[in-house]
Amino acid sequence: MRKTLTLLLGLFAAGVFFGGIQKTTADEAVAINKLRRRPLLGVQRWDMFSGKGATQQKELGYLPGGPGFLRDSQWHNRVPFFCRRTKDVAWVQHPTDAGPVWFNYPFSQQLLQESMDQELRYASDAGIDFFVYHGPARKLFSNGWELRNNFDCHLSSTIPEAKKVKLTWALYGHRAIRYTKSKVAAMMDETIDYIKSPSWQTVKDGRPLIIVYHPERFRAALQIAKGNERMTGAGFIAYVRMRVEAIGLKNPYIVGCMEPRDSFIHAKVLKDEGYDAFMDYEGAYGGAVAKRDEAPTYAAATKEMLQTCEQEYLNCGLPFIPPCPSMHYRWPHAFNRKGQPIDEIYHSQWPKDGDLAVRLKAVLDLVARHPEDCDAQTVIMYSWNEHSGGGGICPTMGESPDYEPVTQWVDEVAEVLAAWTYP
């Protein structure tokens, strides 16, 4: 301990802290990390439960016209805690074709705020550091598919926990937007006010964290734009940096987020374009295309995921944020394009008690052991509320009539974050 303190005092004197120009060595970084708190944990969100727009059709299937992934009773144990069975919601005049699970119809902003406040309490109590919100800019595509409604509630929340759980939203490279230089400018116009907010997550001593979801789609659209609207991938990243630094903030830490996995394949291209790091959106490793529950166990998938990180992610020439999927069990989505059920999908089995805790601790340990490759000292988990698309740690709906929320997965996360120490 005395040797570590001596080293740290030397680092302060040398100016490594507080803006000095000296570069921290790997050994020094390890010593520093030993006295720091644990790596940051962010959790990705896909907010299709607000009650607005297609959210009533897509996930719960309360209204007809969408897939209704969680409509079947076998999936009701994966419905978020704020939902109720339609038969128990006597204060609403339901449509005749309403599905079996209800939330927020007719739409109420107050109800959405109250449910979001409770989500923030759960996240804060667990020790989660920030949420990653996804979806296109409102001005560019159909009011952002109504994916920003919970984001708005996070910003407007007045509860203390809302300040403890920070946020970021991803720059969303969807094909349908057909990005041009002008559309990139409009996206940043909408984003920049939020980046100025004290709620926006930073890494590496105050650098705003910016996640670019589907960098390859931004690149492809901007390369075929006409005339002055054209932009290279490197030009896109340079522009994002310029907009952030122009408002007096530090050089942003920009992460290229690839879907669904194998982002390490793109590390060289992302480095050449100026990204600071790369990451997976889902990061589902260790599964198999198999019939339901005949895929590898969750524990086996964790082992393969960690091996992949050690063999493929390290020493790519670009830092990374490692994969850490909460689950990857997509059976509510097991339909072909004609809506017919299919017998096999890629998945690993549902976790047993303690499996998620083992995975999260192992990924936090990985980040701490590799301060150069994981220089942001951050883990971003998939996901908070992808309840139909794979899994989530947001508490789920209990049984009628008490509806006591089931908090098993967020509880496992909380236990790890509270007990974690430098490996």
Side-chain angles (χ1 to χ4, degrees):
M1 181 65 180
R2 180 174 297 176
K3 182 177 180 180
T4 300
L5 289 174
T6 301
L7 172 59
L8 289 172
L9 289 171
L11 292 173
F12 277 101
V16 171
F17 290 83
F18 305 125
I21 61 173
Q22 286 82 1
K23 179 177 175 61
T24 306
T25 68
D27 288 341
E28 290 167 345
V30 169
I32 294 166
N33 284 337
K34 285 183 178 179
L35 295 188
R36 282 181 176 168
R37 66 185 298 268
R38 58 163 174 80
L40 295 170
L41 177 65
V43 186
Q44 299 196 62
R45 300 180 61 104
W46 184 254
D47 285 309
M48 291 298 290
F49 295 99
S50 72
K52 270 192 175 181
T55 64
Q56 291 289 1
Q57 293 88 14
K58 186 170 183 181
E59 295 293 327
L60 299 179
Y62 176 78
L63 296 180
F69 293 126
L70 299 176
R71 182 185 176 100
D72 193 295
S73 60
Q74 68 176 312
W75 306 123
H76 289 180
N77 63 348
R78 293 174 65 170
V79 168
F81 70 90
F82 43 75
C83 298
R84 295 292 181 266
R85 290 168 177 82
T86 303
K87 63 182 179 64
D88 291 337
V89 184
W91 60 91
V92 170
Q93 183 66 42
H94 301 289
T96 56
D97 52 2
V101 181
W102 170 93
F103 176 66
N104 208 14
Y105 183 88
F107 178 77
S108 164
Q109 185 65 38
Q110 179 181 352
L111 180 57
L112 181 61
Q113 185 69 61
E114 290 172 356
S115 66
M116 186 62 199
D117 284 350
Q118 185 57 43
E119 290 186 54
L120 290 167
R121 292 186 186 99
Y122 281 126
S124 176
D125 290 348
I128 291 168
D129 296 290
F130 65 100
F131 280 141
V132 179
Y133 292 85
H134 285 273
R138 284 192 170 98
K139 295 179 180 178
L140 295 181
F141 200 79
S142 186
N143 199 36
W145 291 335
E146 304 295 350
L147 289 169
R148 301 298 192 192
N149 301 314
N150 291 77
F151 178 86
D152 291 341
C153 289
H154 190 154
L155 288 174
S156 63
S157 178
T158 58
I159 65 172
E161 292 84 352
K163 294 182 179 180
K164 296 178 181 178
V165 182
K166 294 189 180 296
L167 54 83
T168 182
W169 81 14
L171 306 183
Y172 193 85
H174 199 276
R175 294 186 186 95
I177 299 175
R178 299 178 182 178
Y179 278 98
T180 62
K181 184 182 291 187
S182 296
K183 289 182 178 180
V184 169
M187 175 184 68
M188 291 306 297
D189 288 344
E190 187 171 321
T191 305
I192 206 73
D193 285 341
Y194 300 120
I195 297 177
K196 291 189 295 186
S197 165
S199 295
W200 192 275
Q201 183 64 54
T202 62
V203 297
K204 298 193 69 173
D205 194 27
R207 295 177 63 182
L209 173 64
I210 297 179
I211 297 169
V212 178
Y213 184 34
H214 281 303
E216 81 284 4
R217 294 181 183 174
F218 276 106
R219 182 189 312 123
L222 291 167
Q223 285 176 345
I224 63 172
K226 304 297 183 182
N228 292 333
E229 291 295 315
R230 187 176 298 131
M231 182 182 277
T232 65
F236 167 68
I237 293 301
Y239 178 79
V240 172
R241 289 194 193 281
M242 180 275 293
R243 291 295 305 268
V244 174
E245 292 179 324
I247 60 172
L249 297 179
K250 290 187 176 181
N251 177 23
Y253 189 87
I254 305 178
V255 184
C257 178
M258 311 297 295
E259 185 183 20
R261 48 178 271 175
D262 295 334
S263 55
F264 55 86
I265 295 173
H266 306 273
K268 184 180 186 306
V269 173
L270 295 175
K271 181 179 180 180
D272 291 344
E273 290 184 338
Y275 287 84
D276 295 286
F278 65 92
M279 63 174 282
D280 294 334
Y281 177 62
E282 295 177 15
Y285 298 92
V289 176
K291 293 182 179 180
R292 188 167 172 179
D293 296 332
E294 293 183 5
T297 65
Y298 187 96
T302 296
K303 182 178 180 180
E304 183 171 323
M305 180 189 75
L306 294 169
Q307 288 175 341
T308 302
C309 286
E310 294 284 352
Q311 295 168 6
E312 304 289 354
Y313 282 73
L314 296 174
N315 304 313
C316 273
L318 185 67
F320 65 89
I321 294 175
C324 188
S326 54
M327 302 90 177
H328 194 77
Y329 192 82
R330 300 180 61 84
W331 282 98
H333 286 218
F335 297 90
N336 62 23
R337 292 184 179 180
K338 295 181 179 180
Q340 300 165 330
I342 56 178
D343 293 332
E344 295 184 345
I345 61 170
Y346 183 89
H347 72 293
S348 56
Q349 293 182 31
W350 195 249
K352 298 178 181 179
D353 291 357
D355 275 354
L356 175 59
V358 169
R359 175 175 292 186
L360 177 57
K361 181 183 183 303
V363 176
L364 290 169
D365 289 352
L366 173 79
V367 167
R369 288 198 306 269
H370 298 285
E372 291 184 334
D373 285 288
C374 304
D375 64 350
Q377 287 295 287
T378 296
V379 174
I380 296 179
M381 175 179 283
Y382 172 89
S383 65
W384 176 257
N385 56 352
E386 281 267 30
H387 293 290
S388 72
I393 62 173
C394 175
T396 52
M397 179 179 73
E399 294 298 325
S400 174
D402 296 330
Y403 289 104
E404 183 69 25
V406 179
T407 62
Q408 176 182 357
W409 306 120
V410 76
D411 288 345
E412 288 198 16
V413 170
E415 290 169 5
V416 172
L417 296 182
W420 188 86
T421 57
Y422 192 91

